[in-house]
């Protein structure tokens, strides 16, 4: 089990952020304000949604049509109203310097919505420089939940108006679809299968995340592999939490060799590995050096202009033979202090190339938490699911599993994967999931969700 650690971005000018109306009039550039409809009001800083909480307006984890997070946008003269879908007649408004819900007929419910780049907006008290704002982050804490109305600027006062049912486009033809447009079935803790070898101490070993070995997973269409690696005198070993008391653990190079051999035999396929990484960089480099043919298939996005030009077409990667992408959740800063960075030998730092939602939906039984929020949002880190950069959109890793793997629960959860991706996680990230990570991929037909997501793009 993975443990916790782990739209298009616009250039916003200072002038655009500072611009406010000084007299009631139809909003300039009103044609750039979204059409009437149902939206999430989503912070550009945290990726969290504005929600009505007994009259207070707070930022909450995205929860689809739950938790009073959806707002009907409509024009009101030269301004706009945002009426809560769960409270007819109740709108997102202001009470002094706090955001709160008020009667839609109140002047405090009116907002001047100003575009500050495609899909991003400020919401201002008409005729003033007061905007809906996320409160600044105290040292050693998250941003406060309660939203304020003040003179904030920058991303703290910038919002996505994310449609609850966005228009999609058909997937491009095979020869033109890019890596960030494709969705892959991904096995959470793929090594913890009880087939290839031991993966945990005796009791934990009774709860495998998968029940088929890596070679069978590849044959079944799994193309993303989450692997936990720990350091032993034998190198980088695949184990849960530690390798102490584990019988017959598998070395990382063994599973990577299986994947490289598969790619050699299937030149049209692409595989991604996600390392939950507890080894020194020199140990990992030595482990990769044991994999025959790895350099022939390894994909290096850091060397091909991805951050400037976006992800390449899958057909181009196939033609170049670059079909194995490896990520590590390790810290670049820690590696620099050690004198050897992982990307120097082809392992990418995941937080630089992807976004990822929180790793757990709850315990292995009972109620589940379908909210979809960043795994990397805490007192020390703020990487919202909505993060992008000019010309570059991170890949989206969607986790969909529990703390403990129970077969009946995994089967039920997997059958609901497409629904959670569509209603919860896709709008939370303002992008389509690229990797659907599940336990027991053989139950509940998660491959059907992958197939469905691969019929369209999220513009």
């Amino acid at each position: 089990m993975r443990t916790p650690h782990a739209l298009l971005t616009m250039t916003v000018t200072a002038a655009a952020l500072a611009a406010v109306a000084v007299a009631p009039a139809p909003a300039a550039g009103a044609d750039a304000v979204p059409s009437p409809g149902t939206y999430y009001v989503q912070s550009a800083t945290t990726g969290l949604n504005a929600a009505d909480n007994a009259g207070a307006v707070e930022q909450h984890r995205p929860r689809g049509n739950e938790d009073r997070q959806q707002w009907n946008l409509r024009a009101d003269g030269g301004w706009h109203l945002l009426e809560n879908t769960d409270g007819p007649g109740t709108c997102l408004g202001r009470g002094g310097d706090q955001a709160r819900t008020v009667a839609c007929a109140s002047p405090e419910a009116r907002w001047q919505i100003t575009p500050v780049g495609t899909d991003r907006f400020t919401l201002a008290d008409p005729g003033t420089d007061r905007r809906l704002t996320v409160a600044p982050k105290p040292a050693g804490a998250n941003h406060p939940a309660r939203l304020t109305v003040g003179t904030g600027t920058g991303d703290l006062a910038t919002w996505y108006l994310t449609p609850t049912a966005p228009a999609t486009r058909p997937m491009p033809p095979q020869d033109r679809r890019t890596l960030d447009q494709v969705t892959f079935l991904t096995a959470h803790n793929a090594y913890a299968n009880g087939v290839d070898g031991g993966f945990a101490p005796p009791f934990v070993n009774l709860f495998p995340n998968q029940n088929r070995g890596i070679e069978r997973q590849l044959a079944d269409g799994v193309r993303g592999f989450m692997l936990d690696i720990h350091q032993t005198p034998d190198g980088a070993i695949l184990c849960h939490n530690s390798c102490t008391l584990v019988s017959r653990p598998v070395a990382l190079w063994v599973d990577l060799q299986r994947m490289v051999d598969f790619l050699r035999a299937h030149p049209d396929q692409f595989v991604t590995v996600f390392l939950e990484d507890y080894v020194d960089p020199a140990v990992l480099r030595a482990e990769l050096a044991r994999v025959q043919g790895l350099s022939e298939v390894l994909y290096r996005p850091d060397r091909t202009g991805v951050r400037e030009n976006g992800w390449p077409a899958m057909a181009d990667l196939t033609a170049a033979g670059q079909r194995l992408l490896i990520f590590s959740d390790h810290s670049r800063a820690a590696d620099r202090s050690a004198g050897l960075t992982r990307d120097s030998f082809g392992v990418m730092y995941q937080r630089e190339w992807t976004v990822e939602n929180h790793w757990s939906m709850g315990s292995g039984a009972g109620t589940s938490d379908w909210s979809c929020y960043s795994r990397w949002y805490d007192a020390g880190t703020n990487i919202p699911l909505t993060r992008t950069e000019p010309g570059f959109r991170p890949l989206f890793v969607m986790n969909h599993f529990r703390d403990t793997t129970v077969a009946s629960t995994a089967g039920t959860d997997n059958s609901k994967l497409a629904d959670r991706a569509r209603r919860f996680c896709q709008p939370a990230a303002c992008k389509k999931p690229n990797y659907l990570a599940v336990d027991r991929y053989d139950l509940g037909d998660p491959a059907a969700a992958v197939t469905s997501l691969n019929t369209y793009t999220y513009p």
Side-chain angles (χ1 to χ4, degrees):
M1 182 192 323
R2 290 170 69 85
T3 53
H5 296 212
L7 229 174
L8 300 168
T9 293
M10 315 313 151
T11 301
V12 182
T13 66
L17 286 171
V20 295
V22 295
D31 58 340
V33 175
S35 302
T38 306
Y39 294 86
Y40 301 103
V41 180
Q42 187 175 21
S43 168
T45 297
T46 65
L48 305 182
N49 289 341
D52 173 21
N53 183 13
V57 178
E58 301 175 343
Q59 55 171 350
H60 288 183
R61 298 168 179 172
R63 293 184 62 88
N65 60 347
E66 304 172 4
D67 194 40
R68 303 175 69 87
Q69 297 185 4
Q70 295 187 351
W71 307 88
N72 286 325
L73 174 70
R74 68 173 187 270
D76 181 47
W79 318 119
H80 286 85
L81 301 176
L82 287 157
E83 183 179 28
N84 194 273
T85 59
D86 293 308
T90 302
C91 281
L92 191 158
R94 303 170 296 281
D97 62 357
Q98 300 290 317
R100 59 178 301 103
T101 50
V102 299
C104 292
S106 167
E108 297 300 312
R110 296 171 182 159
W111 296 97
Q112 178 182 346
I113 300 179
T114 303
V116 289
T118 306
D119 298 333
R120 292 173 60 145
F121 305 87
T122 57
L123 280 67
D125 179 0
T128 77
D129 63 354
R130 301 171 67 243
R131 303 178 183 87
L132 183 67
T133 303
V134 173
K137 181 179 182 294
N142 293 335
H143 288 279
R146 187 73 185 262
L147 296 177
T148 64
V149 181
T151 56
T153 60
D155 280 353
L156 287 175
T158 304
W159 302 87
Y160 295 108
L161 294 178
T162 304
T164 60
T168 59
R169 298 171 183 164
M171 181 70 88
Q174 287 278 358
D175 62 338
R176 295 209 306 270
R177 61 188 59 173
T178 57
L179 179 58
D180 59 323
Q181 293 176 325
V182 180
T183 300
F184 301 96
L185 179 61
T186 300
H188 168 238
N189 284 355
Y191 68 97
N193 54 59
V195 175
D196 295 328
F199 60 90
F203 176 74
V204 180
N205 221 50
L206 298 175
F207 298 92
N209 298 96
Q210 311 297 336
N211 76 336
R212 296 173 178 174
I214 295 295
E215 290 179 344
R216 175 67 184 275
Q217 292 178 36
L218 287 161
D220 288 345
V222 175
R223 294 295 179 265
F225 298 85
M226 292 181 168
L227 308 174
D228 294 8
I229 54 173
H230 293 267
Q231 190 165 315
T232 76
D234 297 320
I237 305 300
L238 298 165
C239 304
H240 175 68
N241 288 341
S242 79
C243 295
T244 304
L245 302 179
V246 177
S247 174
R248 300 186 303 109
V250 177
L252 172 63
W253 78 267
V254 172
D255 274 354
L256 289 181
Q257 189 68 65
R258 290 171 169 140
M259 296 173 198
V260 170
D261 292 345
F262 173 84
L263 291 172
R264 284 172 161 174
H266 300 83
D268 61 338
Q269 297 300 303
F270 188 90
V271 166
T272 306
V273 174
F274 300 89
L275 299 178
E276 186 169 328
D277 188 347
Y278 302 100
V279 307
D280 294 335
V283 171
L284 180 57
R285 181 176 60 180
E287 192 76 10
L288 299 186
R290 302 179 68 180
V291 182
Q292 296 181 10
L294 176 63
S295 62
E296 299 169 12
V297 296
L298 190 63
Y299 172 42
R300 296 287 304 268
D302 58 330
R303 294 182 173 179
T304 54
V306 169
R307 301 199 86 86
E308 297 76 26
N309 304 313
W311 296 97
M314 298 298 298
D316 293 339
L317 291 172
T318 299
Q322 299 171 344
R323 295 178 292 117
L324 178 61
L325 176 58
I326 304 177
F327 291 115
S328 168
D329 69 352
H330 208 80
S331 162
R332 175 186 285 277
D335 284 350
R336 278 177 173 159
S337 64
L340 177 64
T341 60
R342 287 163 213 256
D343 55 358
S344 67
F345 51 87
V347 175
M348 303 295 103
Y349 291 98
Q350 188 180 344
R351 298 186 196 196
E352 298 177 2
W353 299 95
T354 75
V355 293
E356 179 176 342
N357 67 306
H358 181 62
W359 64 280
S360 172
M361 296 165 61
S363 67
T367 59
S368 59
D369 179 3
W370 276 34
S371 64
C372 212
Y373 61 102
S374 177
R375 181 181 185 181
W376 300 315
Y377 176 65
D378 54 38
T381 311
N382 183 27
I383 303 177
L385 290 182
T386 54
R387 177 175 68 101
T388 57
E389 301 170 15
F392 169 70
R393 181 161 60 176
L395 302 175
F396 175 22
V397 182
M398 177 182 158
N399 295 313
H400 185 80
F401 47 83
R402 309 286 188 110
D403 297 5
T404 304
T405 306
V406 177
S408 59
T409 303
T412 300
D413 287 345
N414 290 348
S415 70
K416 299 176 180 179
L417 176 58
D419 187 47
R420 185 178 180 223
R422 177 180 58 84
R423 291 198 298 124
F424 288 73
C425 292
Q426 188 166 268
C430 295
K431 58 177 74 72
K432 191 176 75 170
N434 300 107
Y435 298 92
L436 295 182
V438 299
D439 285 335
R440 291 300 304 271
Y441 75 88
D442 57 306
L443 302 175
D445 197 13
V450 175
T451 299
S452 175
L453 285 166
N454 279 327
T455 63
Y456 68 87
T457 64
Y458 184 113

